[in-house]
């Protein structure tokens, strides 16, 4: 899988800081933006940038009366922009519809011999993510990267020779890479992946 691009650019960072970077500073800023973007993606479970993915999921049963479908799959990457193709156990089907990030199969014979041994496997090719990246996500990435630039040791306070310094580290761990603050994590909550998704593989 190709590496995902940073969620903010060096030009974005330079603009909010109101400064120009030297070539060495540009390289540092680019790397920190990559790390901050990785932290945001880890916190949300989302790629965020627009992309097309093929994933295989386990179909879950649905109440045909309540949900008016035979089975469903929750597509983990949001928002779902387009679904290009759907196949069940290798057989292409058009018997589906989309409701947000839910893929609903109109009908399925659960008593098939294959389904008796394991749940049906649904392969979906779909386009997802944002273009452009939302400003609040860009802001979190820029804040985290800038924090690492101005305070690379992530020091807040500790007592050394009468002077107090403290290190901004996660609970029970050491500061590695770029960290997100609790405020930033809260700002990202609405982008977090929905629970209950069962993904088998992607390509």
């Amino acid at each position: 899988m190709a590496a995902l691009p940073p969620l903010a650019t060096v030009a974005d960072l330079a603009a909010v800081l109101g400064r120009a970077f030297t070539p060495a500073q540009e390289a540092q800023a680019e790397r920190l933006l990559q790390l901050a973007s990785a932290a945001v993606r880890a916190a949300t479970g989302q790629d965020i940038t627009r992309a097309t993915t093929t994933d295989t999921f386990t179909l879950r049963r649905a109440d045909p009366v309540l949900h008016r479908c035979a089975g469903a799959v929750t597509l983990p990457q949001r928002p779902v922009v387009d679904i290009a193709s759907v196949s069940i156990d290798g057989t292409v089907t058009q018997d589906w519809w989309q409701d947000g990030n839910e893929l609903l199969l109109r009908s399925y014979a659960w008593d098939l011999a294959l389904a008796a041994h394991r749940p049906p496997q649904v392969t979906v090719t779909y386009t997802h993510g944002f273009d452009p990246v939302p400003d609040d996500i860009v802001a979190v990435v820029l804040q985290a990267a800038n924090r690492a630039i101005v305070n690379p040791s992530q020091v807040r306070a500790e007592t050394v020779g009468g002077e107090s310094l403290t290190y901004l580290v996660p609970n029970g761990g050491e500061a590695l890479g770029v960290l997100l603050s609790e405020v930033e994590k809260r700002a990202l909550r609405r982008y977090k992946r929905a629970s209950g998704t069962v993904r088998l593989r992607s390509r």
Side-chain angles (χ1 to χ4, degrees):
M1 181 182 293
L4 294 170
L7 297 170
T9 67
V10 173
D12 291 331
L13 186 57
V16 297
L17 294 179
R19 55 179 286 195
F21 292 128
T22 66
Q25 289 170 335
E26 284 187 3
Q28 179 193 30
E30 179 71 23
R31 182 56 180 152
L32 290 173
L33 289 170
Q34 290 172 347
L35 294 174
S37 298
V40 167
R41 288 181 169 118
T44 60
Q46 296 290 304
D47 292 347
I48 297 173
T49 44
R50 182 70 53 83
T52 298
T53 302
T54 298
D55 276 354
T56 299
F57 309 89
T58 294
L59 182 67
R60 69 177 188 272
R61 289 180 183 268
D63 187 320
V65 176
L66 181 62
H67 300 102
R68 288 183 281 183
C69 67
V73 163
T74 301
L75 300 175
Q77 295 296 326
R78 298 179 291 130
V80 176
V81 178
D82 178 66
I83 298 176
S85 65
V86 178
S87 63
I88 305 177
D89 291 327
T91 300
V92 175
T93 180
Q94 302 294 332
D95 194 25
W96 57 269
W97 78 95
Q98 176 193 348
D99 182 9
N101 67 321
E102 292 289 311
L103 174 70
L104 306 171
L105 276 297
R106 202 175 306 276
S107 60
Y108 183 77
W110 285 89
D111 58 349
L112 291 174
L114 189 60
H117 297 288
R118 64 176 176 83
Q121 308 304 298
V122 182
T123 300
V124 184
T125 297
Y126 68 113
T127 300
H128 51 81
F130 298 93
D131 184 18
V133 175
D135 286 342
D136 52 348
I137 294 179
V138 173
V140 169
V141 171
L142 293 177
Q143 289 172 37
N146 181 56
R147 195 162 54 241
I149 288 175
V150 300
N151 190 9
S153 298
Q154 301 187 65
V155 176
R156 287 174 54 192
E158 165 186 81
T159 301
V160 178
E163 296 186 4
S164 180
L165 302 173
T166 295
Y167 293 86
L168 178 61
V169 297
N171 292 336
E174 296 182 355
L176 295 172
V178 178
L179 301 176
L180 299 181
S181 70
E182 291 304 315
V183 171
E184 290 162 347
K185 289 177 182 177
R186 286 198 296 272
L188 295 170
R189 280 178 184 168
R190 69 192 187 96
Y191 296 104
K192 290 189 70 171
R193 174 178 296 181
S195 60
T197 299
V198 179
R199 182 173 64 180
L200 300 181
R201 63 179 180 274
S202 61
R203 60 180 181 274

